[in-house]
Amino acid sequence: MESIDWSAMNTVISAIFLVVLLAMVLVYPMYFIALSSFGKIMARDHADLVGRQRPSLNESYGLLGKVKAGHIGDAPLSPDAARAHTSARRLLYVGMSLFMLVLFIGLADAMVSKHGAGA
């Protein structure tokens, strides 16, 4: 039976961890920029729904969650707002997925390190 080279496995997992962490660090600022843009477009095109000239990121995030099938309540989104919504939501999901990968890979690295130390 072949033995596993735990140090090589640990190196590979660490490299993957760093790549995913770097991707996450790049995606989250893009998400916040897209979220801010979504808020500005909503304020411009749907001032009656936003209520402010420049919504905060927290308010923009709240609006992001209220959009269902291209509508907020009965009001359809403008084409620009719909595109900004799609972009911000996609970046949010990519960022969350990368965060979960960082957690999973960090756990896997810890387990490999512990198993390798015991061998």
Side-chain angles (χ1 to χ4, degrees), residues 66-99:
K66 289 180 182 178
V67 175
K68 304 289 183 227
H71 291 72
I72 292 183
D74 293 334
L77 293 180
S78 68
D80 286 343
R83 278 191 295 277
H85 173 264
T86 301
S87 176
R89 188 149 225 159
R90 184 178 299 131
L91 287 168
L92 174 62
Y93 288 148
V94 169
M96 288 185 333
S97 298
L98 288 170
F99 178 73

Side-chain angles (χ1 to χ4, degrees), residues 23-39 56-65 84-96 98:
M24 187 180 76
V25 166
L26 293 174
V27 166
Y28 270 109
M30 291 169 53
Y31 161 68
F32 286 116
I33 291 168
L35 183 63
S36 176
S37 176
F38 171 69
S56 67
L57 284 177
N58 192 32
E59 292 165 338
S60 296
Y61 178 75
L63 287 170
L64 193 70
H85 173 264
T86 301
S87 176
R89 188 149 225 159
R90 184 178 299 131
L91 287 168
L92 174 62
Y93 288 148
V94 169
M96 288 185 333
L98 288 170

Side-chain angles (χ1 to χ4, degrees), residues 92-116:
L92 174 62
Y93 288 148
V94 169
M96 288 185 333
S97 298
L98 288 170
F99 178 73
M100 295 306 291
L101 276 172
V102 164
L103 291 178
F104 176 75
I105 293 169
L107 178 62
D109 185 46
M111 291 177 66
V112 167
S113 295
K114 184 176 182 179
H115 189 285

Side-chain angles (χ1 to χ4, degrees), residues 33-46 50 52-55 60:
I33 291 168
L35 183 63
S36 176
S37 176
F38 171 69
K40 289 176 186 176
I41 291 169
M42 287 296 293
R44 180 191 73 201
D45 295 351
H46 303 284
V50 176
R52 289 181 56 169
Q53 187 174 6
R54 190 168 183 163
S60 296

